[in-house]
Amino acid sequence: SGRIGADFQADAHIVETTMQRDGHALERGRADLVIASRDNMLAARFTATADGLTWNGATLDQAQLRITARAPLDLARYEAESAWRVGSVRSAQLNANQISGGVGGEAVAQDNTLAPRVWQGQLRLNASAFSAYGNALQSARFDARLDGEASNGRARWTLAGDDFAGLAMLAPRATASGELRFDLDGASSAEGGAQLALTNARLNADA
C-alpha cells in the first residue's frame, strides 16, 4: 500500500511447504518478498529457506538464500546482491559441505534501454570440503571480480584451498588464478588463461 516513490510497501509470503513431484522435492521450504519505494527509490528483498531440496539428482540440505535489489525510479542505474548458505550438496559428480557465498553487482543503464552501459560485479564462494569429478579440496575459497561495458567484459578470479587430491597428485596447499575476457554479443566469444600452483605436491599411490 502507499504511493510509489513516497511510502509504498508490498509484502508476499509463501508458507512452509513440503512437496515432491517428478524427481524434485522440497522439504519445509518457505519464502518472503518485500517491495518498498521511498525517497524516489525502489527496493526489494527476497528471503527463502528450506530444510531440504532435491533438483535434477542434486540434494541440498539446510539451504538459505537472500536477494536484495535497489534502483531509482527512472532505473538509470541499479544494483543487486545475493547471499546463500547450504549445509551440504550431494550429486553424482559433486559433493560439498558447509557452503556459503554471495554475488553482487551494479550497473549504469544505457540511455534508451535497461541494458547496462557500464557494470561491475563480484562473486565469492566458500566450502569446508569440496569434491568434483575426482578432485577434492578442503577449506576451499573462490573469489571473482568482473567489470565491463555493454556486452564486453573481463573477469579475474582466484581459488585456494588445503589438502588437494586430484590429477593423480596430493598437495597440502593449492592455489589457482586466472583471467577471462568475453563478448556476449551475437555469437559470443571468450578467451583467457589460468595457472595452478600445488605446494609440496607428490604423486598419489595410484600414479
Side-chain angles (χ1 to χ4, degrees):
S1 63
R3 183 165 58 91
I4 292 177
D7 57 357
F8 175 85
Q9 181 167 321
D11 302 334
H13 308 279
I14 298 177
V15 298
E16 186 175 291
T17 302
T18 296
M19 60 184 297
Q20 184 172 351
R21 182 182 302 171
D22 299 329
H24 307 310
L26 175 67
E27 180 183 356
R28 299 184 64 186
R30 47 209 175 271
D32 296 280
L33 173 65
V34 178
I35 300 175
S37 180
R38 297 181 178 87
D39 300 324
N40 293 317
M41 296 290 292
L42 287 170
R45 182 179 73 249
F46 175 79
T47 57
T49 62
D51 286 357
L53 176 66
T54 300
W55 190 268
N56 287 338
T59 300
L60 287 73
D61 291 324
Q62 302 300 320
Q64 304 174 26
L65 172 67
R66 184 186 75 250
I67 302 173
T68 60
R70 180 179 172 88
L73 290 181
D74 63 5
L75 302 179
R77 65 183 188 281
Y78 42 88
E79 59 186 65
E81 64 178 21
S82 66
W84 59 83
R85 185 178 298 274
V86 180
S88 66
V89 176
R90 298 288 181 265
S91 71
Q93 299 294 344
L94 186 150
N95 294 281
N97 294 328
Q98 300 300 318
I99 310 103
S100 63
V103 59
E106 57 183 332
V108 176
Q110 298 181 16
D111 293 337
N112 56 352
T113 176
L114 290 178
R117 176 168 57 85
V118 293
W119 53 270
Q120 64 177 8
Q122 56 279 327
L123 167 68
R124 69 181 188 281
L125 183 63
N126 302 282
S128 64
F130 175 85
S131 63
Y133 300 96
N135 302 293
L137 196 63
Q138 307 298 311
S139 302
R141 179 181 178 88
F142 177 83
D143 290 280
R145 292 188 175 276
L146 305 89
D147 59 80
E149 298 181 0
S151 61
N152 296 305
R154 179 180 65 171
R156 297 174 298 278
W157 59 269
T158 60
L159 172 67
D162 299 327
D163 298 325
F164 172 81
L167 306 175
M169 291 185 290
L170 302 172
R173 181 69 177 170
T175 58
S177 61
E179 183 171 325
L180 177 70
R181 294 181 181 272
F182 54 88
D183 181 359
L184 301 179
D185 190 23
S188 300
S189 62
E191 62 179 6
Q195 58 183 8
L196 170 67
L198 301 176
T199 303
N200 296 325
R202 68 183 190 278
L203 294 176
N204 65 20
D206 297 327

